[in-house]
Amino acid sequence: MPLELFTVGEPIADTKAPTDVPIGERWSERKFRGRLVNPANRRKLTVIVVGTGLAGGSAAATLGEAGYKVKSFWYQDSPRRAHSVAAQGGINAAKNYRNDGDSVHRLFYDTVKGGDFRSRENNVHRLAEVSVNIIDQCVAQGVPFAREYGGLLDNRSFGGTQVSRTFYARGQTGQQLLYGAYQALERQIAAGTVEQNARTEMLDLIVVDGRARGIVARDLVSGEISTHFADAVVIASGGYGNVFYLSTNAKGSNTTAIWRAHKRGAYFANPCYTQIHPTCIPVKGDYQSKLTLMSESLRNDGRVWVPKERGDDRDPRDIPESDRDYYLERLYPSFGNLVPRDIASRQAKNVCDEGRGVGPGGLGVYLDFAEAIERLGRPAVEAKYGNLFDMYAQITGEDPYAVPMRIYPAVHYTMGGLWVDYDLQSTIPGMFVIGEANFSDHGANRLGASALMQGLADGYFVLPSTISSYLADGPFEKVDDSHPAAVEALTGVQEQVQRLLNINGNRTPASFHREVGQLMWDLCGMERTDEGLRKAIDRIQEIRQEFWTNLKVTGDWTSFNQTLEHAGRVADFIELAELMCIDALHRRESCGGHFRAESQTPEGEALRDDENFAYVAAWEWTPEGQPPVLHREDLEYEYVHLAQRSYK
Amino acid sequence: MNLTLRIWRQQGPTVKGKMVTYKITDISPDMSFLEMLDVLNEQLIMQGDDPVAFDHDCREGICGMCGVMINGQAHGPQQTTTCQLHMRSFADGDTIDIEPWRASAFPVIKDLAVDRRAFDRIIQAGGYISVPTGTAPEAHATPVPKADSDAAFDAATCIGCGACVAACPNASSMLFTAAKVTHLGLLPQGQPERNDRVVNMVAQQDREGFGGCTNIGECSAACPKGISMETISRLNHDLLGALRAGARPKS
């Protein structure tokens, strides 16, 4: 690796987990050792929370309830629209309600293994412990989880596990959990503990004397750019999968909050870890603006196959069993269609690369319910998956009850994000990062139904406990908009929006976004090579140059201007894309959703290199023209032993 | 497909708006309605014109952010969200009228984007169960009959898009409020606050300037999630019961 792409800095250690006690006691011990804030003092402390998805919404509600003064920010009109609302399949919890051998330890084990040994044991164990409280909390809020006839909660299974530990609300689990958190948040808004800032986007972080003390935000309706101050800042702005342009993320999902915090000194960890979801509706045309995933739970009953022969373009219903290849069941007899997402995605790509893909362009595989409909009857299939089938029919114009669905992998979730310690604090004191915006719990691949678990674990239970240790030193010295750091941040944001408007070139923000996204999918997507990544880095630098000289944004910044919003986000995506490629290039191993063609087993599975890469790559921003600095945090596996993953 | 679009353009809440005609060509029937608007906006930006402002986010029918009147119907000719409406629902050569939600409680922000925060304030008035984090009992301690849970779920799927209000000749938000009252009122967890919830939420929707419900049913017919009119009956039943029991809205 040539030195000019990055330099290596001091290693970082996360020392906040009390490793002197067994793993099962560490979270309790951390809570005990942490300091508390007396209820009378909490109302003197202010916390900014950016984002109102499962993590941000639940955190703001909980902190407000606890008595802190909370300022909540979101870019949609209502917190109920945060993209957590779109999660379909479910939320994991180690309740062992099915008596099928589940336990906190097994959820912990499955998650560490599923993440291909690139997540922190301490964090994952805590996640598994807290999972049981999440279900209790949500049920008490009135989340209508699926139930058995006896009135107790139902469960189903998800990829990468052999137990049924996933709680669900038909195919709308994220929606129902989010509404629970949203309603809790609205209750606090009514109670006056949470101040609401709708349609407001964070555009910079204000750092005073090394501590995060506020944000610069733009009111998207009036255009006004203003400063907001607090004793601590919590970022819960979600993932950055939209760097690929086409993804399963909401169109507004972006990287701006975390990227600008990164530019203020927060390390960005494992940016190249992207989860590719195996069951999305395939791309249709070049006008397409987004991809829609079909819940992984469909793989409980649907069987994935392609024709055995390449070029077999018969109607799938006319292809006899003997001419079909149920490749997941053939390759992974223990887990079958329920292998983890990275493996299912990669095998789908492999069969399509072999020329056996189906549908337009050969980029698709069948997800077939014919056998399930025969075995269970159509009403039972409808009851379980009806809304997903309807959604598929609506988008494709095909009837999935009659013809097998066609699916293909798509960008879904980012496991990378801002680096945080065990307290979920970033490298900037006073700035905490929760949910998908941080990197900490999923390793190189996220198991299904774990994202909702992490969002709510962080927001309801982890952050509210750990942030008090920091706030116990507060309130900090008062800062207002006359402080030089605030003036500098505010002016910088104003200058940037004006600069975007002044270019007056010939290309729209969307055209740059599409171009950089396609490049990332081709060269930093499911499969990466040294050569491809170097090519991508060169090209991204050219795109960035062109962006700042040939962009066209109409209107002004003092009013509602959606093109300007998009332009600012694309500027950040372009910079992030380069860091993602550098991270992918330096990690010369395959792990999870990150497959380096140069590193594979004889069977074509991802081959990790634990000797050289069992670490978190935390990147430090450097001024333009300087290569980023890599800080390594070594990962230690005390309880789950490093092993080649096998789902055979 | 080649289409004529007549779109409501309005610079801001206090500026007078008008319909403006645009011609658009080479539209694929597989495009979503919003993708068709994306294509139009790319053209407008390149011409140096102001693109049409419209709200959208998830584009998979669940966030509830999108929503416009299409040929006078909320979300257009199919009972789905605008983002899930596809151009195959139209014919080559069609003229399509596109307008924002029409209700004084939803003021226009710009063009097709409206302010729906009144819905959040209705939720703030009581659309929740008061349960501080960490105080919940074990989930299996309270069994819920499956039929109740399923019916609660059906009501809970309301996405708050506002189509019910836009479709109603009275601009009533009754279906939205009723969906939440039904969701929480059907569950054992929702009982302690049931009376207060319904009176406070109904009082708030009146304060917001939504019209009264006269059981016309356009709301349910336009609802992309199929929330039924039965929820309104349930709300009325709860409201009467609550008032008889002495519940009064907080001022």
Side-chain angles (χ1 to χ4, degrees), chain A residues 538-591:
Chain A
D538 288 345
R539 184 66 198 130
I540 290 165
Q541 289 172 351
E542 289 165 13
I543 295 173
R544 184 172 167 182
Q545 173 76 17
E546 196 194 342
F547 178 86
W548 287 104
T549 52
N550 196 25
L551 177 74
K552 187 176 185 75
V553 180
T554 53
D556 57 39
W557 63 267
T558 58
S559 63
F560 191 62
N561 187 339
Q562 293 171 314
T563 316
L564 177 65
E565 288 168 32
H566 192 196
R569 294 167 190 168
V570 175
D572 295 332
F573 278 135
I574 294 172
E575 293 182 359
L576 168 67
E578 185 175 353
L579 186 66
M580 289 171 75
C581 291
I582 292 172
D583 186 42
L585 181 61
H586 107 282
R587 192 172 280 279
R588 294 185 310 277
E589 65 161 352
S590 297
C591 62

Side-chain angles (χ1 to χ4, degrees), chain A residues 58 62 65 75-81 83 85-86 88 95 97 135-137 139-153 169-172 175-176 179 182-184 186-187 189-190 196 198-199 221 248-253 284 287-293 391 393-397 460-461 506-511 552-555 560 562-563, chain B residues 28 30-32 35 38-39 42 44-60 62-65 78 80 84-86 88 109-110 113-117 119-121 123-125 127-140 142-146 149-154 156-161 176 180 183-184 187 189 193 225:
Chain A
S58 59
T62 303
E65 179 90 47
Y75 72 75
Q76 295 98 342
D77 62 341
S78 167
R80 71 181 302 141
R81 315 210 194 278
H83 194 56
V85 79
Q88 295 168 358
K95 284 282 201 185
Y97 282 166
I135 301 304
D136 297 341
Q137 178 69 24
V139 166
Q141 284 175 339
V143 170
F145 283 121
R147 291 193 178 253
E148 304 277 12
Y149 284 100
L152 301 183
L153 294 155
R170 282 184 216 158
Q172 284 137 275
Q175 177 195 33
Q176 294 307 314
Y179 289 174
Y182 154 75
Q183 287 163 201
E186 294 296 346
R187 183 164 82 92
I189 290 171
Q196 53 179 336
R199 292 194 192 256
V221 176
T248 63
N249 287 229
K251 291 293 288 172
S253 299
K284 216 157 191 177
Y287 51 80
Q288 197 155 339
S289 61
K290 103 146 252 152
L291 298 172
T292 303
L293 76 78
M391 194 169 75
Q394 185 72 32
I395 292 170
T396 62
Y460 279 134
F461 298 105
N506 284 311
R507 286 184 64 181
T508 62
S511 84
K552 187 176 185 75
V553 180
T554 53
F560 191 62
Q562 293 171 314
T563 316
Chain B
S28 158
D30 288 330
M31 279 182 190
S32 72
E35 284 165 348
D38 289 343
V39 170
E42 288 289 284
L44 292 176
I45 296 170
M46 288 316 294
Q47 293 161 17
D49 292 337
D50 195 20
V52 178
F54 64 93
D55 271 330
H56 64 97
D57 202 16
C58 78
R59 295 204 177 189
E60 52 189 85
I62 195 79
C63 79
M65 185 88 173
Q78 293 196 4
T80 186
Q84 292 298 294
L85 177 68
H86 287 74
R88 65 179 83 95
I109 292 173
K110 184 179 177 184
V114 300
D115 183 350
R116 284 167 291 192
R117 284 178 294 176
F119 272 8
D120 291 332
R121 291 188 288 267
I123 296 293
Q124 284 163 26
Y128 49 74
I129 289 169
S130 298
V131 47
T133 306
T135 60
E138 164 31 69
H140 266 183
T142 314
V144 182
K146 182 170 162 47
S149 174
D150 285 351
F153 180 91
D154 287 339
T157 58
C158 164
I159 58 176
C161 63
F176 170 81
K180 190 48 59 188
H183 161 208
L184 299 176
L187 297 170
Q189 293 88 332
E193 293 167 295
K225 298 299 159 187

Side-chain angles (χ1 to χ4, degrees), chain A residues 29-48:
Chain A
E29 190 62 21
R30 175 70 195 117
K31 283 192 285 187
F32 177 68
R33 290 184 196 174
R35 286 178 301 157
L36 302 175
V37 179
N38 137 17
N41 287 337
R42 291 182 200 161
R43 56 180 169 266
K44 299 175 193 156
L45 292 158
T46 308
V47 181
I48 283 174

Side-chain angles (χ1 to χ4, degrees), chain A residues 5-7 204 258-269 418 427-428 496 544 548 571-580 582 618-631:
Chain A
L5 283 176
F6 70 95
T7 60
D204 206 352
I258 56 172
W259 187 252
R260 299 196 182 174
H262 171 57
K263 291 172 85 166
R264 289 278 172 197
Y267 292 178
F268 206 120
L418 293 183
T427 49
I428 301 174
Q496 199 210 29
R544 184 172 167 182
W548 287 104
D572 295 332
F573 278 135
I574 294 172
E575 293 182 359
L576 168 67
E578 185 175 353
L579 186 66
M580 289 171 75
I582 292 172
W619 295 92
E620 181 188 350
W621 170 263
T622 47
E624 212 166 323
Q626 305 263 333
V629 184
L630 169 66
H631 299 270

